mmCIF file of all heavy atoms in Angstrom:
data_model
loop_
_atom_site.group_PDB
_atom_site.id
_atom_site.type_symbol
_atom_site.label_atom_id
_atom_site.label_comp_id
_atom_site.label_asym_id
_atom_site.label_seq_id
_atom_site.Cartn_x
_atom_site.Cartn_y
_atom_site.Cartn_z
ATOM 1 N N CYS A 111 -38.581 -27.388 -3.065
ATOM 2 C CA CYS A 111 -38.128 -28.780 -2.917
ATOM 3 C C CYS A 111 -36.722 -28.864 -3.516
ATOM 4 O O CYS A 111 -36.291 -27.959 -4.238
ATOM 5 C CB CYS A 111 -39.066 -29.700 -3.685
ATOM 6 S SG CYS A 111 -39.091 -29.306 -5.447
ATOM 7 N N GLY A 113 -35.671 -30.669 -5.881
ATOM 8 C CA GLY A 113 -35.686 -30.767 -7.347
ATOM 9 C C GLY A 113 -35.720 -29.386 -7.990
ATOM 10 O O GLY A 113 -35.075 -29.135 -9.008
ATOM 11 N N VAL A 114 -36.483 -28.487 -7.377
ATOM 12 C CA VAL A 114 -36.573 -27.122 -7.895
ATOM 13 C C VAL A 114 -35.262 -26.366 -7.638
ATOM 14 O O VAL A 114 -34.724 -25.698 -8.525
ATOM 15 C CB VAL A 114 -37.779 -26.397 -7.249
ATOM 16 C CG1 VAL A 114 -37.638 -24.897 -7.342
ATOM 17 C CG2 VAL A 114 -39.070 -26.842 -7.935
ATOM 18 N N CYS A 202 -36.036 -32.819 -13.101
ATOM 19 C CA CYS A 202 -35.966 -33.398 -11.759
ATOM 20 C C CYS A 202 -35.888 -34.921 -11.849
ATOM 21 O O CYS A 202 -36.642 -35.542 -12.606
ATOM 22 C CB CYS A 202 -37.202 -32.998 -10.963
ATOM 23 S SG CYS A 202 -37.245 -33.789 -9.360
ATOM 24 N N TRP A 204 -37.126 -37.046 -10.032
ATOM 25 C CA TRP A 204 -38.426 -37.685 -9.764
ATOM 26 C C TRP A 204 -39.244 -37.798 -11.043
ATOM 27 O O TRP A 204 -40.021 -38.733 -11.230
ATOM 28 C CB TRP A 204 -39.223 -36.868 -8.743
ATOM 29 C CG TRP A 204 -38.866 -37.187 -7.330
ATOM 30 C CD1 TRP A 204 -38.040 -36.480 -6.512
ATOM 31 C CD2 TRP A 204 -39.312 -38.306 -6.559
ATOM 32 N NE1 TRP A 204 -37.947 -37.089 -5.291
ATOM 33 C CE2 TRP A 204 -38.723 -38.198 -5.287
ATOM 34 C CE3 TRP A 204 -40.156 -39.385 -6.818
ATOM 35 C CZ2 TRP A 204 -38.948 -39.124 -4.284
ATOM 36 C CZ3 TRP A 204 -40.386 -40.313 -5.807
ATOM 37 C CH2 TRP A 204 -39.786 -40.178 -4.565
ATOM 38 N N VAL A 205 -39.086 -36.803 -11.912
ATOM 39 C CA VAL A 205 -39.810 -36.850 -13.189
ATOM 40 C C VAL A 205 -39.215 -37.967 -14.054
ATOM 41 O O VAL A 205 -39.951 -38.741 -14.686
ATOM 42 C CB VAL A 205 -39.741 -35.467 -13.900
ATOM 43 C CG1 VAL A 205 -40.384 -35.533 -15.269
ATOM 44 C CG2 VAL A 205 -40.422 -34.397 -13.049
ATOM 45 N N THR A 295 -46.009 -35.965 -11.161
ATOM 46 C CA THR A 295 -45.454 -36.029 -9.800
ATOM 47 C C THR A 295 -46.173 -35.135 -8.802
ATOM 48 O O THR A 295 -46.054 -35.338 -7.605
ATOM 49 C CB THR A 295 -43.978 -35.587 -9.815
ATOM 50 O OG1 THR A 295 -43.892 -34.346 -10.514
ATOM 51 C CG2 THR A 295 -43.103 -36.618 -10.482
ATOM 52 N N CYS A 333 -43.873 -37.619 -5.876
ATOM 53 C CA CYS A 333 -42.583 -37.353 -5.249
ATOM 54 C C CYS A 333 -42.781 -37.036 -3.763
ATOM 55 O O CYS A 333 -43.835 -36.569 -3.357
ATOM 56 C CB CYS A 333 -41.863 -36.233 -5.975
ATOM 57 S SG CYS A 333 -42.337 -34.618 -5.434
ATOM 58 N N ALA A 335 -41.558 -34.700 -1.952
ATOM 59 C CA ALA A 335 -41.773 -33.277 -1.643
ATOM 60 C C ALA A 335 -43.252 -32.929 -1.752
ATOM 61 O O ALA A 335 -43.806 -32.242 -0.889
ATOM 62 C CB ALA A 335 -40.961 -32.411 -2.605
ATOM 63 N N THR A 336 -43.905 -33.409 -2.791
ATOM 64 C CA THR A 336 -45.336 -33.137 -2.970
ATOM 65 C C THR A 336 -46.125 -33.718 -1.808
ATOM 66 O O THR A 336 -46.971 -33.062 -1.201
ATOM 67 C CB THR A 336 -45.814 -33.764 -4.295
ATOM 68 O OG1 THR A 336 -45.068 -33.183 -5.356
ATOM 69 C CG2 THR A 336 -47.281 -33.527 -4.533
ATOM 70 N N ALA A 428 -43.909 -26.129 -3.940
ATOM 71 C CA ALA A 428 -42.536 -26.622 -4.069
ATOM 72 C C ALA A 428 -41.679 -25.748 -4.980
ATOM 73 O O ALA A 428 -40.460 -25.893 -5.027
ATOM 74 C CB ALA A 428 -42.557 -28.052 -4.598
HETATM 75 S S1 SF4 B 1 -42.073 -31.263 -6.737
HETATM 76 FE FE1 SF4 B 1 -41.059 -33.271 -6.795
HETATM 77 S S2 SF4 B 1 -40.973 -33.778 -8.954
HETATM 78 FE FE2 SF4 B 1 -41.358 -31.591 -8.846
HETATM 79 S S3 SF4 B 1 -39.324 -30.673 -8.899
HETATM 80 FE FE3 SF4 B 1 -39.838 -30.962 -6.748
HETATM 81 S S4 SF4 B 1 -38.912 -32.926 -6.166
HETATM 82 FE FE4 SF4 B 1 -39.042 -32.825 -8.412
#
Side-chain angles (χ1 to χ4, degrees):
C111 61
V114 159
C202 175
W204 276 100
V205 175
T295 50
C333 85
T336 300

